[in-house]
Amino acid sequence: MSRTDFGAKPIMLPQPVLIIATYDENGNPNAMNAAWGITTDYQEITISLGEHKTTDNLAVRKAFTVSMATEDQMVACDYVGIASGRNVPDKFAKAGFHATKSKFVDAPLIDELPMALECTVKSFEDGILIGTIVNVSADDSVITDGKVDPKKLKPITFDPCNNTYVALGDVVGKAFSDGNKLR
């Protein structure tokens, strides 16, 4: 096997496209695109963030939602990643998003994105946001047999090698099961 070295780069595939939604001090919804995040425990998510309007809002409201960006909303999801809420105060509306207040945390759910983690801020230090997942909500349109159906949700991933968004593919195996064939 021949390999190519790329040096120390943040390449991990697939990389989720996370849309973080918050309310500001006046109750206005804001959203941003964040690609550097992962669940780090059963009820915890960790996201690397710089300074943004979103981080200002996190300090005030101590809550946020994390929606999965989808194929259907790719353009809007990309927009909230390139427009700054500090410069475009109505960027949530410009993206075509509509907000419904979460029943569980002081943050907006984005109506156009059918699945969200509803979180409180556990900590935010040195650009690392750690959130406690209080609830996961999903629109019935993406549920099959009582579970979130990735085929219906159509989440996208970020390809940092080519600066593109990629759709997920087909199921190729059964987790915690198929490996038993080698026992």
Side-chain angles (χ1 to χ4, degrees):
M1 177 184 295
S2 177
R3 291 184 175 262
T4 300
D5 295 323
F6 292 96
K9 296 186 181 223
I11 298 174
M12 185 176 292
L13 300 169
Q15 194 167 24
V17 180
L18 308 173
I19 307 302
I20 303 169
T22 56
Y23 285 124
D24 71 9
E25 65 278 0
N26 298 314
N28 298 312
N30 183 57
M32 72 168 283
N33 180 321
W36 294 1
I38 189 168
T39 51
T40 46
D41 205 343
Y42 281 96
Q43 295 177 324
E44 186 176 277
I45 186 167
T46 301
I47 305 168
S48 177
L49 299 173
E51 291 296 318
H52 300 275
K53 177 64 176 163
T54 296
T55 55
D56 298 343
N57 297 346
L58 291 168
V60 173
R61 297 291 183 138
K62 308 288 188 211
F64 59 102
T65 61
V66 179
S67 296
M68 306 301 114
T70 64
E71 291 177 36
D72 298 339
Q73 293 295 321
M74 183 275 304
V75 171
C77 291
D78 188 57
Y79 173 74
V80 298
I82 59 178
S84 169
R86 290 184 174 147
N87 300 327
V88 183
D90 63 342
K91 100 173 174 174
F92 196 91
K94 280 187 109 161
F97 288 155
H98 299 88
T100 298
K101 186 177 183 330
S102 163
K103 292 184 282 185
F104 298 91
V105 299
D106 187 15
L109 293 166
I110 301 172
D111 296 345
E112 290 73 20
L113 299 176
M115 183 187 148
L117 284 66
E118 301 167 62
C119 306
T120 56
V121 174
K122 183 175 183 180
S123 66
F124 182 61
E125 297 175 21
D126 300 321
I128 303 298
L129 170 64
I130 300 176
T132 300
I133 301 167
V134 176
N135 184 54
V136 176
S137 63
D139 189 86
D140 290 342
S141 67
V142 297
I143 305 289
T144 299
D145 298 328
K147 297 177 185 170
V148 175
D149 185 336
K151 285 283 194 189
K152 290 180 179 178
L153 179 63
K154 299 191 286 182
I156 57 175
T157 66
F158 173 60
D159 171 2
C161 302
N162 300 291
N163 282 338
T164 58
Y165 297 113
V166 179
L168 292 179
D170 295 323
V171 172
V172 296
K174 187 108 172 118
F176 309 107
S177 175
D178 286 349
N180 287 323
K181 294 174 187 173
L182 300 179
R183 286 186 177 209

